Amino acid sequence: MRLLSVELTRLRWRRAVLVLLVGCFLVPVLLLAGLSWNTRPVSEGDRASAQEQLDRDVRSPDLAREIDRCAKHPRQYGVDPADPEAACREMMAPQLEFYLYRPELDVASEREGTGLGVITLLVGLVMLLGTTFAGHDWGSGSMSNQLLFEPRRARVWGAKAAVVFLTGLLAAAVALALFWGGLWLVAGSRDLQATGHQWQLIVHSALRGSLLIALAGVGGYALTMLFRNTVATLGALFAFTIGSSILIVGILGSTATRWLLPTNFYAVLMNGYEYYNGASEGQSCSSGPDGIMECTNMAHLSLGQGATYLGVLLVLATGLSLWSFQRRDVP
């Protein structure tokens, strides 16, 4: 516990870490504000402004000329020649609803929309947090001094990893609580609240997301302890994220979706994921109501399969990192 407390203090005094933590709390607030604004109900001011715009467009000479051309050549425009002028005006004249369209807030759909975006951004921020925390110790040369006080390297590595995990888990839980709690209040004020079952799905997804975010921080920390350089870790992460997808697609072709990182990440968050499988052997066929066999190339990736995929990557990263830290000389 003493070592854990020391590492927690060391983490807390990293200015870059504090900036990243502030970013973790700003991200859900800003995305919630944007979502609330873009789905706000139409006000009387909006309606008056739309009416003014409609009146200007209705009086537009260009619209009058277009309606006149349509009335003279109704068949070219696909309108009823019996009363072409009325039909053309009905087809071409703008309506007030055209200027008032704004999507209505749908809480349930935001689990796969803005909620997913919040988790994705938090994964990046907490991964940077773990990378920065370890990179500073190597960059400043303080790692050798730390090992003088605690020569058992596995304990040092584990204490640092535990601090990153706990900090990431707490930050993720608070950030997601801010986002979904704020969305609950917004939806309640508009009488657009989701059902109890939908909120249950959201809570479960947020819990899995918090765990993924914290483990992403551990992954960033582990790679930095392996490479001993923050820039090298960021480069390796970028190369893996982009390069692995290109390599997998190049080797497996249309069946590559199953092995892509985003697919498995999504399967864990959403408790399973239906994806397109281009392989003919992956087809599932069933008899339709008219007796005709219908086949689809959609395949299901379960939560367990996605978690296994991500878990193997994390175990490889942490295993190599811990082995390297115990075996290599510390300058």
Side-chain angles (χ1 to χ4, degrees), residues 88-109:
C88 290
R89 186 172 297 279
E90 181 180 358
M91 180 181 70
M92 295 184 175
Q95 304 296 320
L96 182 62
E97 291 74 17
F98 299 170
Y99 302 87
L100 291 175
Y101 175 75
R102 190 175 294 149
E104 187 176 68
L105 178 64
D106 184 355
V107 176
S109 67

Side-chain angles (χ1 to χ4, degrees), residues 54-269:
L54 173 63
D55 294 339
R56 286 196 297 269
D57 291 345
V58 166
R59 295 192 298 267
S60 169
D62 293 336
L63 177 62
R65 284 194 294 269
E66 190 64 26
I67 292 175
D68 185 57
R69 281 195 294 269
C70 174
K72 291 179 180 177
H73 309 283
R75 297 190 183 278
Q76 295 181 8
Y77 287 81
V79 299
D80 185 7
D83 190 0
E85 185 171 353
C88 290
R89 186 172 297 279
E90 181 180 358
M91 180 181 70
M92 295 184 175
Q95 304 296 320
L96 182 62
E97 291 74 17
F98 299 170
Y99 302 87
L100 291 175
Y101 175 75
R102 190 175 294 149
E104 187 176 68
L105 178 64
D106 184 355
V107 176
S109 67
E110 293 308 322
R111 184 170 73 101
E112 301 181 23
T114 310
L116 178 62
V118 171
I119 292 176
T120 303
L121 290 173
L122 289 176
V123 163
L125 289 172
V126 174
M127 187 174 284
L128 282 175
L129 183 149
T131 302
T132 301
F133 177 54
H136 182 273
D137 288 341
W138 290 109
S140 64
S142 66
M143 188 65 74
S144 58
N145 293 332
Q146 296 174 35
L147 293 177
L148 291 176
F149 293 94
E150 176 52 76
R152 290 170 291 186
R153 296 190 179 189
R155 288 195 64 188
V156 174
W157 193 99
K160 291 178 180 294
V163 165
V164 171
F165 176 80
L166 293 174
T167 302
L169 187 64
L170 180 61
V174 173
L176 291 176
L178 281 174
F179 175 78
W180 288 113
L183 192 59
W184 180 80
L185 292 174
V186 171
S189 68
R190 301 177 185 178
D191 291 328
L192 298 173
Q193 200 59 269
T195 65
H197 174 66
Q198 290 170 338
W199 274 114
Q200 185 179 30
L201 293 176
I202 289 170
V203 170
H204 290 170
S205 180
L207 291 174
R208 290 191 296 270
S210 298
L211 184 59
L212 279 177
I213 292 165
L215 292 175
V218 174
Y221 158 79
L223 289 176
T224 309
M225 293 293 285
L226 174 63
F227 295 120
R228 301 186 174 187
N229 185 279
T230 301
V231 177
T233 302
L234 296 178
L237 287 172
F238 179 81
F240 175 79
T241 303
I242 304 300
S244 64
S245 299
I246 296 174
L247 183 63
I248 291 173
V249 171
I251 294 175
L252 300 180
S254 59
T255 64
T257 307
R258 160 67 180 89
W259 304 104
L260 296 179
L261 184 62
T263 304
N264 291 271
F265 178 78
Y266 199 84
V268 173
L269 278 182

Side-chain angles (χ1 to χ4, degrees), residues 6-28:
V6 170
E7 293 299 337
L8 184 59
T9 302
R10 184 175 286 113
L11 177 72
R12 193 179 61 215
W13 283 101
R14 298 281 188 270
R15 282 178 290 184
V17 168
L18 295 178
V19 171
L20 290 169
L21 286 175
V22 170
C24 288
F25 302 132
L26 281 179
V27 161

